[in-house]
Amino acid sequence: MSDPQHPSAGPDAVIDESQLEELIIEAQMALPVELSALANRCASALGLDAALIYLVDLQQQLLIPLDEALESLPVDGSLAGWAYRTVSPRVVDADGGVIVWMPLVDGAERLGVLAVRTAALDGVRMRRSRMLGHLFAMLITSKRAYSDWLAARTRTTTMRLPAEMLRAFLPPHTVGSRRCVSTAVLEPAYDIAGDAFDHSVVKNVLHTMILDSMGHDLASGLATSVAMAAARTSRRGGGDLAEIVDSVDQALAQWLPDHFCTGVLCRLDAETGVLNWVNCGHPPPLLIRAEQVVEGGLDSPPQPPIGLAGPLAPAARQVHEVTLESGDQVLLYTDGVVEARDANGVEFGLDRFTDFIISSSAAGQRPAEVLRLLIDAILERQGNQLRDDATILLFEWRPQHR
């Protein structure tokens, strides 16, 4: 018979609900630096031996433990990294038991992994490990919004001021629902200035945006930040796509009349697949269907950049529309992606860019992992020294995922 005072004795061990309730209440008030100790106590209450939290770094190359006494683990080439990359648990033998590497995921956003140690593994303990992962994913998401310590733990070098300012405006890398998902990356992670992305789900509608401001300094980052704030204000006020772009035009013309940016703004109805978009002087979005780029699928007549004032300001923005097919992917990018050059001066190029997306997706990689691998390839090509900001946003529509 199981001993309720020692819940790790067997799979049917009784959980002390009052103790678990106390821990959940404590979790609401716990400081981020206390999460490591709290994870161990919660594991014990669930009949598990211990739990360690690892968060992915800003460039998704390392899994960094919240316990500062432990070493980081590589995302590529480790069992913990496998769990992170595939968003699947990985079970490995350990001294005196097993370790379950459980992915930490907030909706569609990958946060890191949870290492759960237990003497033995069965269906009950696996389910409890998964519960623990869900709990701490929610805790980390809620607490990182106000914790400089959590932000600092996921950095590997000092961030420049323009990047610090701009990153304060950025949403999570990945958002979405069962029907659609949007994911983005941008580099150089600690030195961006003019590039930015935004995506948001409003009921059954996915809004996405990519921006590239002129220059590469604090003023460029300020212009992009103003553009993002204006777009969100209009979007949250119920504005349609034309009104959102108009609000950004007016905000930049009023507050930063000497600055402008190029960009693409999209609105996808996840119920019907109807996609509307506005292209303001930016490289055209790419439509990928059935593992091929649809030639000219999202081309549109040229329109001026965002923020031009006076006689250069456009009379009205043209909104374009197309209906996607299930499984379609839409790719937004800045010119720093395709213009990245290797040591011999050879550009990464549009064909290499799209081929990478298509082949990685066909191999079964999730959209967020596709972009992580892609941005790593671009960085490697330039010896980790990008000459221009490189931003990529990929969203896909899969209405059958319900």
Side-chain angles (χ1 to χ4, degrees):
M1 183 175 178
S2 299
D3 182 352
Q5 299 302 314
H6 297 85
S8 60
D12 298 320
V14 176
I15 294 177
D16 185 340
E17 291 188 0
S18 62
Q19 180 190 10
L20 195 58
E21 180 184 18
E22 290 175 3
L23 287 169
I24 292 173
I25 293 172
E26 180 186 346
Q28 294 178 325
M29 297 301 296
L31 295 172
V33 74
E34 297 170 333
L35 289 179
S36 292
L38 181 64
N40 277 324
R41 294 202 299 278
C42 287
S44 178
L46 289 171
L48 307 167
D49 293 343
L52 297 170
I53 301 168
Y54 290 77
L55 297 183
V56 72
D57 80 303
L58 202 57
Q59 295 177 293
Q60 300 183 83
Q61 296 175 351
L62 294 172
L63 290 165
I64 301 174
L66 289 195
D67 185 339
E68 295 174 316
L70 300 177
E71 296 292 326
S72 298
L73 302 172
V75 169
D76 293 301
S78 70
L79 296 174
W82 186 93
Y84 174 83
R85 297 192 310 271
T86 62
V87 195
S88 302
R90 185 66 183 262
V91 181
V92 296
D93 291 329
D95 293 338
V98 299
I99 293 176
V100 182
W101 291 104
M102 188 67 63
L104 292 173
V105 183
D106 174 44
E109 172 81 340
R110 302 180 298 179
L111 306 175
V113 293
L114 185 71
V116 180
R117 181 180 286 273
T118 180
L121 189 63
D122 50 41
V124 173
R125 289 190 177 96
M126 177 61 87
R127 185 173 66 251
R128 292 177 182 177
S129 298
R130 191 173 290 111
M131 289 168 52
L132 201 60
H134 291 321
L135 172 62
F136 277 88
M138 289 188 290
L139 286 173
I140 290 163
T141 299
S142 66
K143 294 180 185 300
R144 68 177 179 174
Y146 63 82
S147 172
D148 284 347
W149 181 74
L150 280 176
R153 282 301 289 159
T154 58
R155 296 182 181 184
T156 58
T157 190
T158 303
M159 184 170 290
R160 293 186 66 248
L161 178 58
E164 188 75 68
M165 179 182 67
L166 195 51
R167 283 201 173 274
F169 280 87
L170 293 181
H173 283 289
T174 308
V175 302
S177 65
R178 292 183 178 88
R179 295 188 178 97
C180 62
V181 64
S182 175
T183 187
V185 291
L186 78 170
E187 286 284 350
Y190 298 91
D191 195 25
I192 53 169
D195 277 18
F197 68 87
D198 196 15
H199 43 204
S200 176
V201 177
V202 181
K203 293 185 178 179
N204 65 327
V205 173
L206 172 68
H207 289 269
T208 61
M209 176 172 67
I210 195 165
L211 297 169
D212 185 356
S213 178
M214 56 173 280
H216 190 89
D217 53 20
L218 186 62
S220 302
L222 181 59
T224 305
S225 300
V226 168
M228 293 177 70
R232 289 174 180 173
T233 297
S234 179
R235 191 172 68 216
R236 292 166 182 172
D240 60 25
L241 200 54
E243 291 169 333
I244 293 171
V245 181
D246 183 61
S247 69
V248 179
D249 271 323
Q250 292 185 34
L252 286 177
Q254 177 181 358
W255 298 106
L256 294 167
D258 295 329
H259 284 78
F260 64 87
C261 58
T262 67
V264 176
L265 292 85
C266 300
R267 180 190 187 277
L268 172 63
D269 187 318
E271 294 279 355
T272 65
V274 172
L275 173 68
N276 298 107
W277 80 96
V278 178
N279 187 345
C280 306
H282 200 79
L286 301 176
L287 175 60
I288 300 174
R289 174 175 294 160
E291 300 182 8
Q292 289 186 329
V293 177
V294 178
E295 191 68 30
L298 298 178
D299 286 355
S300 58
Q303 297 189 60
I306 308 172
L308 296 180
L312 297 177
R317 293 292 185 179
Q318 294 180 334
V319 179
H320 304 278
E321 181 174 305
V322 70
T323 300
L324 300 183
E325 297 180 6
S326 179
D328 280 356
Q329 296 177 310
V330 177
L331 192 58
L332 312 180
Y333 63 97
T334 58
D335 53 14
V337 174
V338 295
E339 293 175 2
R341 297 177 182 271
D342 63 15
N344 298 318
V346 179
E347 287 189 348
F348 194 78
L350 189 59
D351 289 342
R352 195 192 313 269
F353 174 46
T354 53
D355 286 348
F356 195 107
I357 298 284
I358 291 169
S359 61
S360 297
S361 299
Q365 300 285 6
R366 294 169 179 262
E369 182 63 10
V370 171
L371 293 198
R372 188 190 74 86
L373 293 170
L374 175 58
I375 202 70
D376 280 355
I378 293 172
L379 284 168
E380 183 179 2
R381 188 175 183 82
Q382 288 201 258
N384 289 319
Q385 296 294 325
L386 292 180
R387 298 175 180 85
D388 191 11
D389 292 352
T391 305
I392 313 166
L393 186 147
L394 173 69
F395 65 89
E396 62 180 29
W397 185 55
R398 296 189 179 276
Q400 72 274 21
H401 289 191
R402 301 189 179 192

